[in-house]
Amino acid sequence: MDPTVLSSLLSALETIYNISVTNAERQKAHEYCEMLKRDRSAPLYGYLLAHKDNKHGDVVRHFGLGLVESAVRYRWTDGSMDQSLKTQIRMHVISLASEGTLSILEEQMFIKEKVARLYVEVAKRQWPGEWDDMDLFLKQMFFKDETRREMALLILRSLCEDICIYDDAVAGLRKKDLRAGLLVIMASELVLKEHYPEGVKGHQNEVTLMVGEAGNDGWTSRLSALLTELLPRCQSESLLPADEKIALAALNTLSSSLDWVITSSVADSSIIPLICQGILSPAVKIRLAAAECYDVIASRVLSDAEKEKIIWPLMDKGGIDMVSKAYQTYAAQILQGDSYLFFQKLVQATVNLGEIQVCGKRNAHTPEGLSKLLRLLYAMSSHPSVLISSIASYFWTTILQHEKFSKDPNVHSFVPPLLELYSGYLAKDFENRRQNDAVYRHFASIDFDSVSEFRAKAAQTFQKAVDVIHLGVPVVPLDAFMWVANKVAEALKTQFPVQVAKDSSAFQAFDGALTLMEVTVSSLKDLINDKSHPQSPQVLGAMNTLLGMLIEYNVNCPVVLDRVVGSLCAFTDMFRLNSTLLFQSLDKLFKTVEYPKANGPENEIKELRRRAANTLVKIGRAIPNTLFPIYGEVESVVQRLIQQNLIWPGEKRALLTFLLVIGFNAEMAHDKKAIFEKVVLPVLNDFQSANLQEALSGPKNFMAFIGAMELSAAASKSLQPQEIEQLQSTIMQRRTQLSWSIETLVSFMKETTSGKDPLKLQLWSSCLGSMLPNLLSTVRCLNAILDSSLWRDLSPDMTSLFSLTAEEKEMLVTGKYPSSAPGPVTVTKLISDLKIWMSIVRDNAYKFLAQVTTLGPMFYSIPSLQVMLEQSLFEHMDLLSNRQIRFLINSAVQPLVLNTPPEF
């Protein structure tokens, strides 16, 4: 070793960390240090720098450890080291670990961990085999003093992690030998003889047989003895710092080994009671480390025999009581930092205990402490933290589906309180609670980095609540349904004004009650269809009673009535068995479809009427056979509403679809062609009417048809509000003829072209000649009018049609078309509405074309189809933006390609 080199190295390090030197000087010093790492004597220099006796600063000592680490990790196998140098490095590492660090309370943790890592890096390369007394050195340090005991535990933990937890590349090369070696040193001689009477086998090529040291008690036993001594002292508020550090190191070492150590070692060493004792410590770091051990045990995959040794004693001999005590101690506190991390880990471990151990697929054992576990998990499910309650909810969906425990009386006793608890989540009042509940807001702020994350988790919690209720109701069907019916009856007594906000607490509670009803009715589908079930008739009767209450419910608030009529489709399964109230339900829906336009805000009335019409479609889709005998009466009501002009175009489309789904899907419908022609042909005739034919004959005519010229002229005038409204009415009437026809035909095709019914395909194919020309002309015109030269003579205000509006951005992000905002109608708004209308029509035209492709050979065999498609879709490609091209490819071209029959 050259003393001048060591002196130069110290000088270089001083330069690197001196803030007053220049960057050039610092760079030169850094290059010198990097160059020295390649020197054969670098490990020796590193040892001298790192050893405490040389009294260097922490930064210098850490660099010295890095020199040794670099040699071990990168030069051990490159041929630059002979055996004597490797032995010398190993002895230096042993010296650093055994006497090279400051006392337990003086030494920095990053120095300790670096020394431990060095020891492990050498061990991974030489133990077992070349370094047979590695474990002996660890034991000697363990029994020497507090400082060396902590170091031994840090080394053992790092060794376990590299070999059994982390995907360490070096450990992977000798994994069998290293794992075998760990099994041997962790277990006692008696346990090894019991499980491996012929020794633990390492790598087959090396034929390493390990039987352990005679009289060896194993590290698991040593850790148990150490924790037995320390944990009682850790229950005191006046915990000595050294005791805390050693207990923490012991628990961390345990957590790195409990997933793979022989379970007999755990059972014989009484580790489980010590872990439970640890989670009650007033020292938060001790609690957190103990909770980690608890989670590792709870998550481990165990055989029935292994569970008998360590899991069932945990549940049956006071362990759950200690876990419950730990939970209750902190459940009412506003936690943060390590205290909250401990709380989360405690909850997660308890959920894992229930999900993985108790509800394991092969488990047939009912632990004595099951009811205590259920009470604890119920309490966890009630915690104000969305994250905590969400974690706990996973257990309930698991146990309620378990083949054995779903029938257990202990589990049944928890269904009523679970329904009470999770029904509260259905109100979706997460945002209100976050705003108004200080405790709830505290946990939301530390659980989530943003409001969007909170809302995403809230949505998951809502779905999990739905799952729990769906699984829980069939366990106690009649009692559960009667309880739900009472909740709905109470909700129906709520007094609402004509206008109510959907995010108000009153409406959210009302909405939650109806969601609870919908989930409950859905969960009882199998029961009401099972005539052998003793409670089936009573449940069916109770459903009829509840439905009657909904039918009789009347309120002047469109938003509330919207929610009620939407819930009626939940009873479609009941209608198959008992159609007593079917007529009344349909009557209520039809009356709602023509709900007076003057009874509330126009946008709310539109949503209400459309909801009622769409609910009819859902019912028709679900029970066409039940409805077909009254098809004539239904049709007459629909025709009356249409002929008397009592409904808007959206409801008209839904009601015609309602007729079509009944007529096409009912098994007893014999003349489907007549129904098809009566419903579809009038729409098709309107789509190919003379005025539309003329409008679609060229871009100029199309611009005039959609009102571009009229809007341009209006933009240069000062029109009165009534004049603007008249202009809007005139333009919208023309536009609606085209957009409604396309959207309605898309709806018809979606409902009737699924499956391979040859009649459906034949009927639609016969319409191809009528549909396709105007459909392709619509796409062609929409693309052609993007030519800016066509708008040159129009008002400059019309150029906004070629920019991406805020509404269109909203549509692209949410996938939903924005509703028209209330407020005075202006010419600027009419121009903006035109842009939105064009986007909607383009979208529906592509959807229409995609549906047409499902007709298969009947579509693809059309003469000159390729030319027609090229002219309509691609003739004006140069005018389309990148976004519009992507939209064209995804919505139109992709279905065209995917649905092409092989012969084409």
Side-chain angles (χ1 to χ4, degrees):
M1 183 192 73
D2 186 350
T4 60
V5 174
L6 187 61
S7 175
S8 299
L9 178 58
L10 288 170
S11 177
L13 289 173
E14 182 180 353
T15 300
I16 290 173
Y17 293 103
N18 187 344
I19 61 173
S20 63
V21 302
T22 65
N23 286 336
E25 291 175 311
R26 184 176 290 108
Q27 180 65 29
K28 183 177 180 181
H30 177 74
E31 290 173 357
Y32 178 79
C33 292
E34 289 298 312
M35 178 272 293
L36 192 62
K37 287 183 180 181
R38 298 187 290 273
D39 192 290
R40 188 178 187 278
S41 300
L44 178 57
Y45 295 129
Y47 168 71
L48 293 173
L49 290 177
H51 202 287
K52 69 176 176 58
D53 290 347
N54 295 317
K55 302 186 184 308
H56 294 299
D58 291 337
V59 171
V60 174
R61 294 175 65 205
H62 189 267
F63 179 81
L65 293 171
L67 285 178
V68 183
E69 182 185 36
S70 178
V72 174
R73 294 185 64 186
Y74 304 116
R75 293 166 48 202
W76 196 267
T77 58
D78 68 355
S80 63
M81 290 188 186
D82 54 26
Q83 191 59 43
S84 63
L85 181 56
K86 292 180 180 179
T87 302
Q88 184 183 29
I89 292 174
R90 186 174 75 208
M91 297 311 296
H92 285 164
V93 170
I94 292 172
S95 174
L96 288 170
S98 60
E99 59 185 18
T101 58
L102 301 173
S103 69
I104 186 172
L105 298 181
E106 292 180 292
E107 190 63 270
Q108 295 292 331
M109 181 55 72
F110 71 89
I111 296 291
K112 298 176 188 177
E113 291 180 341
K114 193 73 167 181
V115 172
R117 292 291 312 150
L118 274 178
Y119 194 102
V120 170
E121 289 298 331
V122 176
K124 288 187 301 188
R125 290 161 172 82
Q126 292 198 319
W127 173 83
E130 297 178 59
W131 188 7
D132 289 334
D133 56 354
M134 188 279 298
D135 186 46
L136 178 61
F137 281 113
L138 285 184
K139 285 190 288 184
Q140 289 173 350
M141 284 194 292
F142 183 79
F143 290 111
K144 186 175 183 180
D145 57 36
E146 290 178 332
T147 299
R148 305 310 147 201
R149 176 171 292 181
E150 183 193 28
M151 179 58 67
L153 294 173
L154 290 173
I155 291 171
L156 185 59
R157 174 193 179 186
S158 182
L159 189 64
C160 292
E161 288 175 341
D162 274 13
I163 296 172
C164 298
I165 298 177
Y166 302 144
D167 188 18
D168 183 83
V170 175
L173 297 174
R174 306 179 62 240
K175 194 161 191 173
K176 289 189 177 180
D177 273 350
L178 291 169
R179 287 184 68 93
L182 275 181
L183 280 175
V184 168
I185 67 174
M186 293 300 295
S188 67
E189 179 186 16
L190 294 177
V191 170
L192 285 173
K193 286 183 177 179
E194 176 189 352
H195 288 268
Y196 301 98
E198 298 180 0
V200 182
K201 294 183 179 181
H203 197 280
Q204 294 179 354
N205 295 334
E206 298 181 15
V207 198
T208 307
L209 294 177
M210 304 178 191
V211 295
E213 180 186 350
N216 181 39
D217 53 356
W219 279 104
T220 305
S221 178
R222 286 184 210 112
L223 292 170
S224 174
L226 177 62
L227 290 171
T228 301
E229 174 190 348
L230 290 178
L231 285 179
R233 303 207 293 264
C234 292
Q235 304 304 314
S236 169
E237 295 289 347
S238 57
L239 173 62
L240 295 175
D243 286 347
E244 181 179 15
K245 285 180 177 293
I246 295 175
L248 188 60
L251 288 167
N252 287 336
T253 303
L254 261 184
S255 69
S256 67
S257 64
L258 285 173
D259 191 44
W260 50 266
V261 73
I262 300 171
T263 51
S264 295
S265 296
V266 179
D268 294 349
S269 303
S270 301
I271 290 293
I272 301 301
L274 291 169
I275 293 173
C276 295
Q277 187 178 349
I279 63 176
L280 290 171
S281 171
V284 63
K285 291 184 179 179
I286 299 294
R287 291 201 309 273
L288 183 55
E292 183 66 41
C293 293
Y294 173 33
D295 189 36
V296 173
I297 282 290
S299 305
R300 182 172 174 176
V301 178
L302 298 167
S303 65
D304 290 342
E306 289 173 324
K307 288 182 182 180
E308 195 69 36
K309 292 179 180 179
I310 60 176
I311 296 298
W312 306 142
L314 165 65
M315 295 196 61
D316 301 340
K317 296 182 180 179
I320 285 297
D321 292 328
M322 299 175 77
V323 174
S324 297
K325 183 178 179 182
Y327 176 81
Q328 292 164 4
T329 301
Y330 302 100
Q333 298 183 20
I334 299 180
L335 303 170
Q336 55 188 355
D338 285 345
S339 295
Y340 188 46
L341 290 177
F342 156 73
F343 196 72
Q344 289 178 335
K345 182 61 68 174
L346 185 72
V347 172
Q348 184 65 70
T350 306
V351 171
N352 289 338
L353 178 67
E355 279 201 290
I356 299 173
Q357 307 303 338
V358 176
C359 296
K361 289 183 179 180
R362 298 189 303 271
N363 179 44
H365 174 76
T366 303
E368 296 175 14
L370 177 61
S371 60
K372 293 180 180 179
L373 177 66
L374 295 175
R375 281 197 296 273
L376 175 58
L377 283 162
Y378 177 79
M380 292 174 172
S381 304
S382 310
H383 194 269
S385 163
V386 174
L387 186 62
I388 295 294
S389 59
S390 175
I391 292 171
S393 66
Y394 283 88
F395 167 76
W396 298 111
T397 56
T398 300
I399 198 167
L400 289 171
Q401 295 178 87
H402 194 272
E403 183 177 358
K404 173 182 172 62
F405 292 110
S406 62
K407 304 177 182 66
D408 190 284
N410 284 312
V411 177
H412 289 193
S413 67
F414 276 87
V415 170
L418 283 174
L419 293 178
E420 183 72 50
L421 171 65
Y422 282 102
S423 65
Y425 292 124
L426 302 184
K428 298 181 183 178
D429 62 343
F430 303 101
E431 193 64 37
N432 283 340
R433 290 190 65 187
R434 191 176 70 85
Q435 296 291 339
N436 302 317
D437 185 329
V439 176
Y440 192 88
R441 182 168 60 250
H442 165 78
F443 285 111
S445 67
I446 60 178
D447 284 339
F448 309 104
D449 293 332
S450 64
V451 174
S452 60
E453 282 189 17
F454 165 77
R455 290 171 179 165
K457 177 57 70 173
Q460 292 177 11
T461 302
F462 170 83
Q463 186 55 53
K464 189 59 65 173
V466 170
D467 295 340
V468 172
I469 294 169
H470 195 274
L471 293 167
V473 166
V475 173
V476 285
L478 183 59
D479 291 342
F481 188 84
M482 296 308 297
W483 177 80
V484 171
N486 289 332
K487 294 276 285 186
V488 174
E490 287 299 314
L492 293 177
K493 295 177 183 177
T494 307
Q495 298 295 318
F496 289 101
V498 174
Q499 287 186 266
V500 63
K502 290 185 177 181
D503 60 354
S504 66
S505 56
F507 180 79
Q508 286 180 332
F510 184 84
D511 176 63
L514 291 185
T515 303
L516 174 64
M517 177 198 72
E518 291 166 340
V519 175
T520 301
V521 171
S522 172
S523 69
L524 294 172
K525 173 183 176 181
D526 293 337
L527 182 141
I528 62 175
N529 281 284
D530 184 3
K531 295 181 180 179
S532 64
H533 195 288
Q535 294 186 349
S536 178
Q538 294 169 283
V539 171
L540 196 59
M543 281 187 184
N544 257 311
T545 301
L546 179 56
L547 177 59
M549 294 169 56
L550 294 173
I551 294 172
E552 295 298 322
Y553 180 72
N554 286 303
V555 65
N556 291 326
C557 177
V559 172
V560 174
L561 187 58
D562 178 303
R563 184 64 187 87
V564 173
V565 298
S567 69
L568 296 182
C569 60
F571 294 89
T572 51
D573 291 307
M574 188 199 76
F575 288 142
R576 292 192 183 96
L577 303 170
N578 186 334
S579 58
T580 304
L581 296 178
L582 177 58
F583 283 102
Q584 292 93 318
S585 300
L586 296 177
D587 182 62
K588 184 176 185 68
L589 289 169
F590 277 121
K591 286 180 178 177
T592 308
V593 168
E594 56 175 322
Y595 191 84
K597 301 176 183 179
N599 283 14
E602 181 177 324
N603 61 325
E604 292 182 1
I605 301 297
K606 279 186 176 180
E607 288 184 22
L608 168 61
R609 294 170 66 157
R610 194 160 299 183
R611 176 83 63 187
N614 289 334
T615 301
L616 284 167
V617 175
K618 291 179 181 178
I619 294 175
R621 192 185 297 130
I623 53 170
N625 291 332
T626 306
L627 290 170
F628 190 75
I630 58 170
Y631 181 86
E633 291 89 333
V634 170
E635 183 187 25
S636 64
V637 174
V638 171
Q639 293 300 333
R640 177 184 64 81
L641 293 173
I642 294 174
Q643 291 168 6
Q644 295 181 12
N645 200 27
L646 297 174
I647 53 178
W648 282 309
E651 295 89 74
K652 178 182 177 182
R653 176 176 56 255
L655 292 181
L656 290 174
T657 304
F658 177 49
L659 293 177
L660 199 59
V661 295
I662 297 174
F664 256 65
N665 296 326
E667 296 174 358
M668 66 280 291
H670 298 298
D671 197 355
K672 294 183 179 181
K673 181 179 179 182
I675 295 173
F676 178 88
E677 291 176 346
K678 194 168 185 179
V679 174
V680 176
L681 291 186
V683 179
L684 195 55
N685 291 334
D686 198 34
F687 184 48
Q688 58 178 349
S689 61
N691 63 321
L692 280 184
Q693 296 273 14
E694 181 181 356
L696 296 171
S697 61
K700 283 286 188 181
N701 288 347
F702 187 70
M703 290 171 62
F705 176 80
I706 63 178
M709 281 64 170
E710 292 158 292
L711 290 175
S712 175
S716 59
K717 300 177 182 178
S718 297
L719 299 180
Q720 296 298 315
Q722 60 270 24
E723 292 177 302
I724 298 176
E725 291 177 3
Q726 179 60 45
L727 175 62
Q728 179 189 36
S729 175
T730 302
I731 294 174
M732 287 305 301
Q733 186 175 359
R734 294 200 303 265
R735 287 187 203 156
T736 300
Q737 182 183 4
L738 176 62
S739 57
W740 183 85
S741 298
I742 293 175
E743 195 169 348
T744 302
L745 289 170
V746 170
S747 176
F748 288 171
M749 292 198 76
K750 280 183 178 179
E751 296 293 344
T752 57
T753 56
S754 58
K756 299 298 181 181
D757 185 342
L759 176 60
K760 296 178 181 178
L761 297 178
Q762 179 184 349
L763 290 173
W764 279 110
S765 298
S766 66
C767 300
L768 277 173
S770 304
M771 296 188 302
L772 199 57
N774 273 10
L775 170 60
L776 296 180
S777 294
T778 301
V779 175
R780 188 176 185 180
C781 286
L782 285 168
N783 292 341
I785 64 172
L786 295 176
D787 186 350
S788 58
S789 64
L790 296 174
W791 304 81
R792 191 173 298 146
D793 297 331
L794 301 184
S795 169
D797 292 343
M798 303 300 291
T799 57
S800 63
L801 292 171
F802 300 100
S803 60
L804 198 62
T805 65
E807 289 82 0
E808 196 166 25
K809 290 178 182 178
E810 177 187 344
M811 181 192 73
L812 292 173
V813 172
T814 64
K816 300 178 181 178
Y817 295 113
S819 56
S820 299
V825 180
T826 63
V827 174
T828 301
K829 184 179 183 304
L830 293 184
I831 295 173
S832 176
D833 288 345
L834 172 59
K835 178 66 177 296
I836 297 172
W837 180 87
M838 289 165 60
S839 296
I840 294 174
V841 173
R842 179 181 282 107
D843 183 19
N844 285 324
Y846 289 161
K847 289 178 181 178
F848 194 178
L849 183 58
Q851 286 295 322
V852 170
T853 65
T854 62
L855 298 178
M858 298 180 182
F859 166 70
Y860 288 92
S861 61
I862 293 176
S864 304
L865 176 64
Q866 181 177 342
V867 175
M868 295 164 61
L869 292 173
E870 288 175 352
Q871 290 177 346
S872 61
L873 299 179
F874 307 118
E875 182 179 359
H876 302 287
M877 277 281 288
D878 58 317
L879 302 177
L880 302 182
S881 65
N882 290 337
R883 178 182 55 83
Q884 291 169 329
I885 292 173
R886 185 168 60 250
F887 188 44
L888 168 65
I889 293 172
N890 293 337
S891 301
V893 177
Q894 191 174 39
L896 272 168
V897 174
L898 293 178
N899 292 328
T900 304
E903 60 269 26
F904 291 90

